[in-house]
Structures are given as structure tokens and as C-alpha cells.
Amino acid sequence: MSTQPWHTAWLPDDAFAPLGRRVIVVDASADDAAGLAATVVAEVRAAVERSGGRLADARADAGADLVLAVDPDAGLPPEGFAIARQDGTTRVTAGDEAGLLYAFFHVVRLGERAFDDALPASTHAPAHAVRMLDHWDNVDVHDVMGQVERGYAGGSIFYAAGAVRDDLTRVGAYARLLAASGVNRVAVNNVNVHRTEARLLTDRLGDVVRLADAFRPWGVRVHLAVSFAAPMTLGGLGTCDPLEPAVADWWADAVARVYDAIPDFGGFVVKADSEGQPGPFAYGRDHADGANVLARALAPYGGTVHWRAFVYNHHQDWRDRKTDRARAAYDHFTPLDGKFDENVVVQVKFGPLDFQVREPISPMLAAMPQTHLALELQVTQEYTGQQKHVYYLPEQWSEILGWEPWADGRTVSDVARDVVAVSNVGDDRFWTGHPLAQANLYGFGRLAWDPTLSPEDLLDEWVGLTFPGADPRVRDVLRDLLLGSRATYEQYTAPLGVCFMVGPGHYGPGVDFYEYSPWGTYHFADRDGIGVDRTRASGTGYSAQYPEPWASTYESLDTCPDDLLLFFHHVPYTHVLRSGKTVVQHVYDTHTDGAARTEEMARRWEDARGLVEPDLFDRVRTLLAEQVRSAGEWRDQVRTYFWRHSGVPDERGGPLY
Amino acid sequence: MSTQPWHTAWLPDDAFAPLGRRVIVVDASADDAAGLAATVVAEVRAAVERSGGRLADARADAGADLVLAVDPDAGLPPEGFAIARQDGTTRVTAGDEAGLLYAFFHVVRLGERAFDDALPASTHAPAHAVRMLDHWDNVDVHDVMGQVERGYAGGSIFYAAGAVRDDLTRVGAYARLLAASGVNRVAVNNVNVHRTEARLLTDRLGDVVRLADAFRPWGVRVHLAVSFAAPMTLGGLGTCDPLEPAVADWWADAVARVYDAIPDFGGFVVKADSEGQPGPFAYGRDHADGANVLARALAPYGGTVHWRAFVYNHHQDWRDRKTDRARAAYDHFTPLDGKFDENVVVQVKFGPLDFQVREPISPMLAAMPQTHLALELQVTQEYTGQQKHVYYLPEQWSEILGWEPWADGRTVSDVARDVVAVSNVGDDRFWTGHPLAQANLYGFGRLAWDPTLSPEDLLDEWVGLTFPGADPRVRDVLRDLLLGSRATYEQYTAPLGVCFMVGPGHYGPGVDFYEYSPWGTYHFADRDGIGVDRTRASGTGYSAQYPEPWASTYESLDTCPDDLLLFFHHVPYTHVLRSGKTVVQHVYDTHTDGAARTEEMARRWEDARGLVEPDLFDRVRTLLAEQVRSAGEWRDQVRTYFWRHSGVPDERGGPLY
């Protein structure tokens, strides 16, 4: 793959050298229906050809260094595998072909350790059966949102010039990267389904077939974002009322045609009654009615509906402090718990607003025990620096996946059946615009597989694969840049959980940009204080959506964590935090320190000069300069805004304008 | 014209009925080089055919009701004419054919009064020889700015689908409307000259020829906006340094080709070194060098360069309070006074910022006695409601044209040789989007001809022509809506001359939208006060750019007019105005009252129902509803902003959020 014009990311040839030097047996005598065993054989063959090892016959496995075998009777969970070393042979047993593929990449990750006699025996299986990336790619370039909505890495790798690309070689390379990270589903188009994209379901289905063919060898099934209005806009019906039999028939016919063309099709992703997209509300139906009509069409084929819970009033009145967008998903969906069909998954953004740096975890995740849920994350850095800022997302995702809604050991990972994220990939040479944002894509798949992995270990894994054989200083520099990068970004942007101080396009500061907007994202700053009162006692009552102990914890100013203070409470600028600092001094200090930290990061990167490939070095260097500039702008605007409103000087004497 | 799909504006057939019923002689035995006498003959013939009068032979003028004659020896100024009535004949004598055309439309305006024996004798001539409309039309639709930059009335009437329109009938109708209002020049493309538009000067010159042909019968000469970089981008030279002989030669050749095709071509309009457009600064040359190289190419043919003075740093730092965009044009241009060639006209926006509702008049107009100046206005309502709000611009233009820079009787009209405005016309059926915005287009031409006309009289003129024979209540309703509309808009938008509280696209409120931007348009509001200190004593020194008595008047808080207070001074919210109100209470009251006034306007319009054509009625009604909504949004956002910052309650108890 190294001769391709795109970066090798975490699968450079050198990462395969440890196994490529060995004698390997692949024993996949079991039925290779999906062709995944063939993929593994081809990978092994390529690796040994590059590095001088040998692919041996399955009957000769006694002398092999590595045996990769499928055994359906080994009692392993789907996609799972066991690994152990004995008598000089590392033996990997997978319960199915998918497990074989994941086992292969596990061996790649282990590198030489896979052939160390001290290798401990272990068994592996994914925590989440569905580990999905949603691509918000448009087939046609959209007037306002471009080709990839919220995409910061160039155009789509799927589409160009208004159609699926002729050459899907790169999609295959992408699928391989995903398989190596653990992702097994991809939704291939934007949840805001525009005119051309809607037709992927019908007369443009051939485009989806070709994408599915490219993903299939890597165990990745494709899903499609569809418009709830498709029976009208594509089918010519006079309604899309989910309880209308003609509508159900239309969906059944459409789905039958899809499965006829793509037997392993994954299902639909639907954004309904949200930000202008059509939905069941128009017919007085609820979201269970809406989701179930699609689910019943998909059920005979094993398909799934991922139904997004991102439903709120986006024509809110900024004058109205009682309506709270944060309440909306819970208020709309929890009354429907138990009414969704078995193959519906309600897809919930991790926080009640919109992928902010710091929000409380959505209380809806704890409130629908009778419903399959998916946790929705963003790998694309919409609010987190747009792949111009270093922001290592696993630090945030770990926190989210491990959060305990009842503080009793049960985690978000336990209640969310599926884990889904919006992709950060485009046709940029480095896939993700910022080369270091590859670590986020990699980390997403790995955490979706095993949410208990530590961000530090994941980073080391990614560095080891991406920069094999590099000077050890590279790892040290990358640790310095990425670990703590989420905290740094939080320091210089919206403080204390207040959210949404972004400007147009969600990049850069715009403290008041959303303050008088219809979007429901306000901070209510005045000369005395700032923050949103979401308490039951005097505010919107959002805090009561949580189970105990969190409802009480968030409700009280005495117990609410500082980093969520302004999400739950409106306080004076002089309110004293647990740190002993006032809110305003905290804002001054964190913004000064956060921006200063970006300067240190830029300096630190210079230590990698000559140790990584020059174009990667230069790209990161250029982007760090932009991060420094942008962080300085955030610092000055937020500090000045607080100064102009509060009139309180900075104890440390930094500049205020 | 009434069968055309566009509105007849101020030239409906009925407006010609009073003269159309008469016996008329047109005596244009003089050389009809431009064909304007033929135009008048054709107009008269059409009018008498419609209304039963008669076009009589020139030798029979003794018995005519109206004689229109050209007499080059009558001692009349260019474009001028005299009118008198004697023995039952109204006799109009023009010094040239253009004067004949304007005289004809003068008679149309007079209507029956033209044939009243009490008609006083009078002589007429334009106060300004050049009365020009600049079209910011793009040939290609621009990604961000659309087809007509700052256009609010649909697409261009000149261009469609990336080229000049095949059918220019409507351009002819437009030229006729312009002639009837007094406009005699049109610049046919956007001053931001993009790639395709640049080529109007060279291989797309044929498009300009066709436009010139459409305008010529109405006495309107065409001008072209050109790119200063044309010698490089079109000519392939390595430089556009104005002192480079090859550059001068290139311009000379280009101009020769233009005049070969369009002998009455007017000249160039240039935006150089402004908002990203190329200019002489790149070569260390000044704007006189830049303008003169073009002027010398045009001089042999009598052409003119309109060189815009809108030069400022649009990458300003909001932290820097000493750099003042308001100073920029004066600082750049006044040192060059006397260095511009005779056929250069420096085109100065009326105020130092950018077409705001309330700015002081540009001090540059009083500071370049050795330079020809053009006053630049905007008919298009960029900052004044975008043709969704009723805003009768002659109220503001009268003020500007009549302002006395030295308070000694000499006015802006006296120092500005030319009057130029950005057009508000598009391919909308009503030409101007808002039907009542036609009054602004009409009023511009009339005021450029005679700046002493009162806005009230102009309005009556426009109403009389546009709604001939209408119920007198129509005039009353329109007076109630339009007169005072500028004051109303000022009441509910940015207060006391503070400027730029607009949101994206310059429509609607965005109090802080520009506050941390690079555009140099700040208000510096904090918890204590608001406004820009532009005094010599403690501020940017802008006030010193004025001659006395204004320099002192603006400098002192004691004498600065209240309506410009925040333009010149930063004051506490509790500063007491001449009205006895504090600044903050003034803001509360004016915003409450201004928004309430729009509701009265919308109610008042209902009185015109059934008295004007239904589609005009409905369009105005719909737009008034938008004005009411928008004014309410302005009211609430501005009031709330001042409340949140000052903490001062509204004495009148209106709602604050």
C-alpha cells in the first residue's frame, strides 16, 4: 500500500514486519462465506513476501511460528478470538471469520511480543457488537455545507463530481484501516439527506452496492442514511405517515430491492423531525411509530434502524428561559421506552447539547431500559478544533464510556448496545487533515471494541503502529502533545461547561454569537454573572432528568462539579470555585494558561524534526501555528468579554482589552 | 410598456395621458447625433397614439399645445432647458438633445400643470454633470456574494447564465426609467472585479457594446469597473506597476479598443487596494500614480476614472484602539490633493465607515480642493433594511447633500462634482424588491439633478407618476409610511451613531457581531459605557480631520450632536443627553418606540387595500410584516444588550430579557 498517494496511517508495511518474518499457517477450512479468511490469507501472504517469512500449509502447522485458525466450536463469542503461545508456536483461534480478521490485526499490534514465549494467554471479544462510523458525506457538493458536512479533511473518499467514485481503491484501504481498529459498520451518507443522496436508496442503489463491495472484504457492513419522506419524494405517495399501509408497503419494497443487491446490508440511519428533516410529527405520530415502520421492513433481513434522538426545537426564542434544548431528547423519547421494535436502536448523542468539549452525559442513556441504545460520538472535530487543533478525543470518550449513571458500577458502555461516531475522514493525503487526528479515528474503533483501554495505552499502540521503528523520542513528543490536549482545549475555549461560545461554522471564538439566536444555546451573561439555571428548584428542571445521585449532585451548587458549574447554574462572576478562585479569575487563568500551553506544544513539536517524514512534520507544524493563533484569539476574546462584563481585573495582571 | 412582465414604476402609460391628449411639435432640426431627439419623437408619438392627441409638423407649431425644441444658441447649460407658456402654447427649449429628453420628462412630471396658463416660466439644468448608478452585478454568480453583490431584488437585469442576456428589452426599459429620473451614467459591473467580469474589458467587450446600445437612446453612457491587475491577469504582463511603461501601454491599447467599439464610453470605476482588490500599494506607488495611468489612457477620448477612496485596513486588530478605520480614506488621500489628473474623480463614500444609517459626513469631502470628487451613496439598502424595511433614502441624502463642511453656505453638493450611487435594481418584477424602494431609485436621480428638492415634494412627484389617477388616500398612506421612515429605522437599530450592530450579511441585529472582528467597526461596550473615543484629546484624533466649526463641535462632549454622540465619544450609560434622558433610557425608549411605529405602518398600509394593484399591495404587506418582526428582534436584542451590560432598569417598564 505504501506506493499509494495517501498516508499509510497505522498500517505501514513495517508494522507487519514482525509477523512477516515468520512461518505462518492460516487454517480457515471452515466456510468462508464472507471472504474474510481469504482477506487474512492475502494479508499474510503479502507480509511474508515483503519480509522473508513463509505462508505454510495448514497440515504443517506443527512447525509454524503462528497459526491463525477458525474454530466455530471453540465457544468463542462472535468476532472473538483467543491467543496463546506454546512450544514456540503462537496459536490464535477465532470463533468465526470476523474473529480471524480481528485476531490477525491483534497480532500485528503485538508485533514482536506476539512471538515472545512470555506472551500470556488471553481471550478477546468486542464489548459492542456494532461499532459504526457515520459519514456525513454528500454525493453532490452542498451549497452551504460542502461535500462532507462538518468535514475538515477535504472532499469525500466515496463521492466526487456528483456520483460514487470510479476508483474505489482508497475505500478499500480505508476499510482495511477500519478493520485494524475494530470498526465493523459504516453509514455511507449524510444524515441530512438531500435530493441526490436520497436516491441512493432507489435508482442510485448501484453506488451503494459498489461501496458495499469495497467494504465487505474487511468485515465492514454498509448502512444508509434515508429520508423519512422518501415514500413521498422518491415514491410519489401523497403521505409518509408511518401508520399508512401504503407507506409500509413502499418501505418493504424498497428494502427488498436493497437486500436483493446487498445481502449483508446493515440498515438505515435516520434523522427525523430534527433541524428541518421530515419525520412522524407531521402526522401526529411518535418516533416509535416512525422508527418501527422502517424496522419492520428491515426485520426479515436482519437489518437495523439507527434512529437518532437529536430532536429539539431549533426555532427557539432566546427570550424564553424556560424552554431548554438540553431537556429535549429525554422529553421526546423516554415516554416511548418499550415501544420500539427489537431491531430499532435509538442513537443518542453523548451529551444533551451537541458534541461540546464539556457537557454532562445525556440522562437519556439511563432512562430507556427497554430500548436498544447507541452512544453517538464525533470523531470529526466539529466543536473541538476542526482538525486544526490537537485534541485527543479518547481522553473524552474514556470518560464518557466509563461514566456511571447510577454510580453503582454500571457504565454508559454497559447501557449503550452500539457505539457510533461521525467520521473525520476525507480525501486529504493524511485522511484526517491533521495527521495526529488519525489517533482519534484509530482510538474510536479500539474503544468501541474495549472501552476499558486507557487513552495512554491506546496512544502508545497508535504510535507504535504508525511510526514503527521510529526514534523513541517520537513517542515522547506525541505523548506530550496529545495527552492532556483535551484539557488544554477546554482551558482556552468555553469555560466551566457553559458550552457554545463558538463563532460562525463552529470554529473560533464568538462568545455572544449564539446568544440571541434560535438555536437554544445560551449563556445568559450579564454584568453580574453567567450560566444556565437548569435546576429543578429555580431553573429548567433538567437536573431532575438524572437518576440519583446525579440529580442531587447537579442540583446543588454545593456539590455540582466545577467543570459543569455553568451548565447547571447561573452564578455571579465572584462565585468561588473549589480551587478557591473566583469564576472570573478562573476564566482569566485558564485562558492564559491554555493558550500558553499551545505555544509549548508548538515548540515541543520541533523536537520531532527529522524523526518523522518531512511532509507530516510540516503539516503538523503549520497546524500548530494555527492552533497557537486561534488559542490566542480565544484567550483574548473570552478574557476581554468577562472583563468588560464583570469589571473585575485579572489578579495576575494579564492584558485585557 | 404596460404589457411587459415588469412593473411600470414611475412611467405607466397613464402618466403620459395629459400630454398625450395634446397637439405636440418636436422641433429637433439640430443635429441628432446621439438619437435622443428621435427618442423624444418616438415617446411623443406613442403617447398621442394612446391618448388621442397629435404629433404635428414642426412648421405648424403656432397651433400646438406643446412645442419641444432644441436651440443650441439659447445660451442654456448642457442638458438644460427652459419652459414657459404663452398664448395657449407651452414652449420648451433645450440647449442640446439631452436637454430635450429631460425637458420631455419634465413635462410628463408636470402633467396637466404643463398646460395651465398659470405655469410660471422656469429654467432647469442639473447641479451635477455626472449622475451615475454603479451596478454591483456579477456576470457569473459569485459563490458568496451571489449575482448582485449587496443586491436585494433578485438577479441581474444585465446578465444571466454567465453572460450578458440575449434579450435586453428590459435594460432599455430601465434606461428609460433612469432618463426620466435624471441619471445619465451607469457602471455595468461590480467594483469587486472577479475573473469573468474582468474580461468585459477585453474579449467580452462585445457584452458591454450591447449594453451601451441599450442605454444610448436614453442618454445614459456606460462605465466599466476594471481590475487594477488587468495588465497581469488579462495582459500577461509580469507587473501592473503604474509607472511601468509597458503597463501604461497596455492600458492605452485596451482603452483604444474600447472606444473603437463604444465611442461614447464613459470610463472606468476602480476599487484598488481595498478589501483584497489589487492596487498601486503593491509597487510602493500611491493612488494618484494608480489613477493617473488609467486616466492618461482615457484622456484622449474624454473618458473618466472614478477612483474609489474606500481604502482601509480590513485586517485590523480589535485589541488596538488607536487605529481607526474612520480615519483611513482621509489619511490615504488628502496628501495626494492636486496630484490627480483632470479626468480622475475620487469617489468618496458619504461617511467615513460604510453607508451607515447615521455617520458624520466624510471630512475628506472638505479636504481636497484641487481634486474632482464624487459623492458615493447607496440606493441599495445594504445596511438600511435590505429592501425588506421601508427606508426612504432621500431623507438621508438631502441631509448629506446639504451639509455645510465649513458652516458657511457651501454644501457637500457644491464640493462634489459627481454624484454616484450603488443601484438597488434586480430582475424582480418590481425592479427593487420592495415596491416602495422604487421611490429611492427615483429620488436618487432627481436629487442628483437638483439637491435642493425636498424629500416630501419628491415623494409626491413619485406618487403622482407611479399611481396616476389613484385615490388621494394612496398619497396620504405613502406619506405616512415613507416620510420619517429613516428616523424610525434609526430608532430601532444602532443608537446614537454607534454604527455596525448588524449580524451576518448586514441584516438584522448582531450587537457584538463585529466587536472582535478584523473589520475595524467596534463599539467597545462594557459594563460601564459604550462608544468610540475619536477625539483629538484622548481618542483616535478623527475629529481633527474636520474643518472648523465641526472639529471643535465634534471634539467636545458639550457640543457634539446627540445623534453622533457614540461615534465620537465613549460615555457612561448614565450620560445625560440634551433630551434630559440618559443614554440607556434613550436606547430603551427609541427601540420601543421605533418598533411600535413599524406596527403602525403595517396597520396603515391596510388603508391602501383595493386602492393599488393587488400584487403590489400584497408584496408591501408581506414585507411590512417582516419589518415588524425584524424591528421587534432589533428592539429586544439591543434593549437586552444594554440592560445586561448596564444593569439599569427601563423607567417605562418594558420587557428586558
Side-chain angles (χ1 to χ4, degrees), chain A residues 307-363:
Chain A
W307 188 268
R308 295 179 86 230
F310 186 53
V311 175
Y312 70 99
N313 173 13
H314 68 291
H315 296 296
Q316 198 174 318
D317 188 337
W318 58 268
R319 301 163 190 81
D320 164 19
R321 294 206 189 188
K322 283 299 171 191
T323 302
D324 182 1
R325 170 171 163 179
R327 293 187 57 112
Y330 181 104
D331 286 346
H332 282 300
F333 280 86
T334 59
L336 304 177
D337 188 33
K339 295 189 177 169
F340 291 97
D341 279 13
E342 176 61 24
N343 62 328
V344 173
V345 181
V346 175
Q347 184 164 315
V348 186
K349 289 189 180 190
F350 77 78
L353 287 181
D354 196 16
F355 302 126
Q356 301 297 293
V357 175
R358 179 70 63 183
E359 301 180 62
I361 312 299
S362 174

Side-chain angles (χ1 to χ4, degrees), chain A residues 318-319 527 633 636, chain B residues 318-319 527 633 636 644:
Chain A
W318 58 268
R319 301 163 190 81
R527 74 199 313 265
E633 197 61 35
D636 289 349
Chain B
W318 59 269
R319 300 163 190 80
R527 73 199 314 265
E633 196 62 34
D636 290 348
R644 290 191 187 175

Side-chain angles (χ1 to χ4, degrees), chain A residues 318-319 321 504 512-513 515-516 524-528 632-633 636-637 640-641 643-647 657, chain B residues 318-319 321 504 512-513 515-516 524-528 632-633 636-637 640-641 643-647 657:
Chain A
W318 58 268
R319 301 163 190 81
R321 294 206 189 188
D512 263 2
F513 186 70
E515 191 57 17
Y516 301 93
F524 303 121
D526 61 22
R527 74 199 313 265
D528 301 315
E633 197 61 35
D636 289 349
Q637 290 197 27
T640 296
Y641 186 95
W643 156 244
R644 290 191 187 176
H645 282 70
S646 71
Y657 303 94
Chain B
W318 59 269
R319 300 163 190 80
R321 295 206 189 190
D512 263 2
F513 185 70
E515 192 57 17
Y516 301 93
F524 303 121
D526 61 20
R527 73 199 314 265
D528 301 316
E633 196 62 34
D636 290 348
Q637 289 196 29
T640 296
Y641 186 95
W643 156 245
R644 290 191 187 175
H645 281 70
S646 71
Y657 302 95

Side-chain angles (χ1 to χ4, degrees), chain B residues 234-251:
Chain B
L234 299 174
L237 300 188
T239 178
C240 56
D241 182 346
L243 300 194
E244 180 67 46
V247 169
D249 290 348
W250 188 88
W251 282 109

